[in-house]
Amino acid sequence: MIKWTMINIYLLLMFLIIKNNNNNNNYNNITKYNKDMDLYSIQSPYIKNMNIIKRGYHTSLNNKLIIVQKDNKNNNKNNLEMDNFYKWLVGFTDGDGSFYIKLNDKKYLRFFYGFRMHIDDKACLEKIRNMLNMPSNFEETTKTIMLVNSQKKWLYSNIVTIFDKYPCLTIKYYSYYKWKMAMINNLNGMSYNNKDLLNIKNTINNYEVMPNLKIPYDKMNDYWILGFIEAEGSFDTSPKRNICGFNVSQHKRSINTLKAIKSYVLNNWKPIDNTPLLIKNKLLKDWDSSIKLTKPDKNGVIKLEFNRMDFLYYVILPKLYSLKWYSRKEIDFQLWKTTMEIYMKGLHNTTKGSNLLKLINNNINKKRYYSNYNIPKNIIDDVLNMNTIYNYKLPYRMNSDIQRLNSMNNNNTKFINVGVFVYDLNNTLIMTFTGYRPAATYFNCSKHEIAKYIKNGNVFMNKYILKNILLD
């Protein structure tokens, strides 16, 4: 009884002294993120001269789909790297990990923590095992691989320490709590009858919400989100609509987790400094509606959807690119990033760009499980180095509308500037329209009046200058 009291006091003290450590790095200063990492400059007219962290390892886009580990002169991982990994691990566990209990032949409880994944994810599990110094072996089949540990003392000294500091943020939070408390009781020699043992085993993962505990959503952080994305996220392409998408899915019982992710992203992730002014202003104007939560499907699954191209390109993509990934989901992200570049530059309107998009679409996400992945890097480079068609100063949807109007009025594919561009008296572009009619509707006048002011160059409504071309 004395030991049990001391353990509880110890846990209570640990809980009280752990600080809230979201570690949301200065997003506009990400080049100073880690001195051991290389800098990489995205060669794009959309993100000019933006220095982004190139992670400590990369995926080579070749036939063998090899993940290459970068040599690190300092084998002693620094505290920041380990803390970020622990946060990532908790997010990844919230999506794909398990805490569970089994009864052995002598009716003793055995405690397990680990993962069962597709065999293609072996490199990820190897990374987890190495980072944790986990004394476990892999169990493999032709399609799956499992990494688990059942050594109570190791679990208590390592996994409990990590998950108490960086807690789960789905309803797995309750599973972990019940699993941990049962382990503490077991380590302290608490005895159970057979009925109690079965009850403990069966209630660990019953999705029961414990009214005396609240999931600490205020502990949300960038690396937890990344880990959760690598487990539950999906990078989508939509060739019919010429857009990219990104979503994170969960059962409706974890709807509050998705709401917490949405709130965290909108409050902490911002457009990069290089975002063109017109696009940035539109992003900020529509900021709160940039992420949408779907209704549950027939299986009770809901999605957190990110579908606005400019928001994805200037907010989500650079943030995710600045973080260190650990699973093969990074390859999907890189392919998705390439797709995004093609669309944002308007290169999907070319034969080479269109063909590359088809190739990517046949190799991304689940299509990559058993397919012979074959996208040579030189094909990607050849397309991305083509002359840009779209105007990088304009929102993606406006570029698309202009291109469509141009196609309707002209059989060739040469890009010309059409539409209405509204400037203030200092020649600063403040809004754009795809044609005279939408401009007239906005200003509550006739399209002929819009055309007149464009032609004569006079000041419109005492404060605007209207143009049908985009000024440099």
Side-chain angles (χ1 to χ4, degrees):
M1 186 67 184
I2 295 177
K3 289 184 179 180
W4 167 235
T5 303
M6 292 301 295
I7 288 292
N8 277 276
I9 293 174
Y10 169 71
L11 289 174
L12 178 60
L13 289 175
M14 282 184 62
F15 175 79
L16 292 175
I17 65 174
I18 291 172
K19 294 181 179 179
N20 182 8
N21 185 10
N22 280 348
N23 192 27
N24 181 38
N25 298 302
N26 184 343
Y27 190 44
N28 293 318
N29 195 26
I30 55 179
T31 56
K32 295 182 179 180
Y33 178 78
N34 189 332
K35 66 181 180 180
D36 294 327
M37 293 184 178
D38 297 329
L39 294 179
Y40 177 73
S41 180
I42 295 179
Q43 299 302 315
S44 166
Y46 296 88
I47 312 179
K48 289 187 175 180
N49 301 320
M50 182 184 73
N51 286 328
I52 293 291
I53 300 303
K54 185 177 181 181
R55 290 163 300 284
Y57 65 99
H58 70 278
T59 51
S60 59
L61 299 178
N62 56 30
N63 294 345
K64 295 183 179 180
L65 197 63
I66 298 174
I67 294 180
V68 181
Q69 180 66 38
K70 174 187 170 184
D71 291 333
N72 194 331
K73 294 180 180 179
N74 180 13
N75 292 324
N76 296 321
K77 301 175 180 63
N78 59 47
N79 292 334
L80 177 60
E81 180 184 1
M82 290 307 299
D83 278 351
N84 288 338
F85 168 74
Y86 294 150
K87 296 171 186 175
W88 175 92
L89 178 69
V90 175
F92 195 67
T93 301
D94 258 320
D96 278 343
S98 297
F99 302 97
Y100 59 100
I101 294 176
K102 289 184 178 180
L103 300 178
N104 66 10
D105 294 338
K106 296 182 179 180
K107 302 299 182 181
Y108 291 142
L109 291 174
R110 293 189 65 198
F111 296 81
F112 295 83
Y113 164 75
F115 306 84
R116 180 188 291 274
M117 303 180 70
H118 192 277
I119 191 65
D120 287 357
D121 291 300
K122 183 175 182 178
C124 174
L125 295 185
E126 285 179 336
K127 187 69 174 179
I128 292 173
R129 183 176 67 173
N130 293 338
M131 294 289 282
L132 293 176
N133 292 319
M134 182 184 287
S136 304
N137 295 319
F138 294 115
E139 296 181 26
E140 300 181 35
T141 68
T142 56
K143 294 184 178 181
T144 65
I145 182 169
M146 187 165 65
L147 175 66
V148 297
N149 186 276
S150 60
Q151 300 177 19
K152 283 182 289 188
K153 291 184 179 180
W154 185 90
L155 290 171
Y156 183 77
S157 298
N158 294 273
I159 300 304
V160 170
T161 300
I162 294 170
F163 282 79
D164 276 357
K165 185 175 183 180
Y166 303 115
C168 292
L169 299 177
T170 66
I171 58 170
K172 198 166 288 184
Y173 175 79
Y174 303 112
S175 297
Y176 165 72
Y177 178 82
K178 289 181 282 188
W179 177 85
K180 179 186 75 172
M181 296 311 298
M183 182 191 297
I184 292 173
N185 291 340
N186 187 262
L187 285 169
N188 281 278
M190 185 174 289
S191 60
Y192 303 93
N193 58 39
N194 288 345
K195 182 179 180 181
D196 289 337
L197 289 173
L198 288 172
N199 184 58
I200 292 171
K201 173 183 176 295
N202 294 331
T203 58
I204 292 294
N205 293 299
N206 64 354
Y207 306 120
E208 176 188 0
V209 174
M210 304 177 70
N212 59 322
L213 290 176
K214 292 185 178 180
I215 299 175
Y217 296 117
D218 61 323
K219 299 285 187 179
M220 186 76 66
N221 59 80
D222 290 353
Y223 270 93
W224 181 93
I225 291 177
L226 177 63
F228 197 60
I229 287 172
E230 292 197 54
E232 301 292 345
S234 178
F235 297 99
D236 303 320
T237 60
S238 180
K240 292 183 179 180
R241 299 176 60 197
N242 293 332
I243 62 171
C244 292
F246 161 62
N247 71 77
V248 181
S249 60
Q250 278 287 282
H251 191 272
K252 61 183 179 181
R253 66 175 72 95
S254 286
I255 186 173
N256 289 331
T257 298
L258 297 185
K259 289 180 178 179
I261 295 174
K262 176 180 178 180
S263 177
Y264 179 87
V265 170
L266 294 180
N267 287 327
N268 294 279
W269 296 7
K270 304 300 179 185
I272 55 174
D273 288 343
N274 309 68
T275 306
L277 182 61
L278 183 66
I279 297 175
K280 186 175 184 178
N281 289 339
K282 182 169 178 55
L283 283 173
L284 296 178
K285 179 182 177 182
D286 301 329
W287 192 253
D288 290 341
S289 59
S290 298
I291 308 173
K292 295 184 178 180
L293 196 64
T294 67
K295 294 181 179 179
D297 64 14
K298 61 181 181 181
N299 296 317
V301 175
I302 53 179
K303 293 182 179 180
L304 195 62
E305 292 186 337
F306 305 70
N307 290 320
R308 293 186 178 177
M309 290 289 283
D310 296 314
F311 184 78
L312 289 169
Y313 193 76
Y314 291 102
V315 181
I316 301 300
L317 189 153
K319 167 60 78 172
L320 294 181
Y321 196 83
S322 72
L323 304 176
K324 183 174 182 178
W325 294 59
Y326 291 90
S327 79
R328 67 188 175 89
K329 185 65 69 71
E330 180 183 22
I331 303 167
D332 293 327
F333 172 67
Q334 293 284 5
L335 292 173
W336 183 78
K337 172 183 172 294
T338 299
T339 302
M340 181 76 69
E341 287 282 352
I342 292 172
Y343 282 136
M344 294 298 288
K345 293 178 180 180
L347 301 178
H348 55 287
N349 295 300
T350 68
T351 301
K352 284 185 177 181
S354 177
N355 289 338
L356 179 54
L357 288 177
K358 292 177 182 177
L359 191 58
I360 290 175
N361 194 52
N362 289 328
N363 282 274
I364 198 169
N365 295 327
K366 291 184 178 180
K367 296 177 182 178
R368 189 164 46 76
Y369 271 124
Y370 299 104
S371 65
N372 293 320
Y373 179 84
N374 186 10
I375 307 181
K377 186 176 183 298
N378 65 293
I379 292 181
I380 294 177
D381 291 341
D382 187 39
V383 172
L384 295 185
N385 288 331
M386 294 172 64
N387 291 331
T388 298
I389 295 176
Y390 283 175
N391 190 315
Y392 79 93
K393 294 182 179 180
L394 298 181
Y396 176 75
R397 182 49 58 195
M398 183 169 295
N399 270 318
S400 298
D401 290 341
I402 290 173
Q403 180 71 18
R404 185 167 57 253
L405 288 172
N406 179 69
S407 299
M408 292 171 60
N409 295 323
N410 200 328
N411 290 329
N412 63 55
T413 59
K414 181 179 178 181
F415 179 81
I416 59 175
N417 284 315
V418 297
V420 178
F421 301 87
V422 183
Y423 296 83
D424 64 17
L425 299 184
N426 294 318
N427 285 328
T428 299
L429 182 65
I430 56 177
M431 65 182 80
T432 61
F433 300 93
T434 56
Y436 292 0
R437 188 180 299 277
T441 300
Y442 180 86
F443 289 114
N444 194 26
C445 64
S446 70
K447 63 180 182 179
H448 302 291
E449 188 172 4
I450 296 294
K452 181 181 71 174
Y453 277 90
I454 288 177
K455 183 177 181 180
N456 61 34
N458 293 335
V459 177
F460 177 63
M461 299 180 70
N462 297 321
K463 55 182 178 179
Y464 302 120
I465 301 294
L466 306 183
K467 301 285 184 180
N468 61 359
I469 60 173
L470 183 65
L471 301 179
D472 294 332

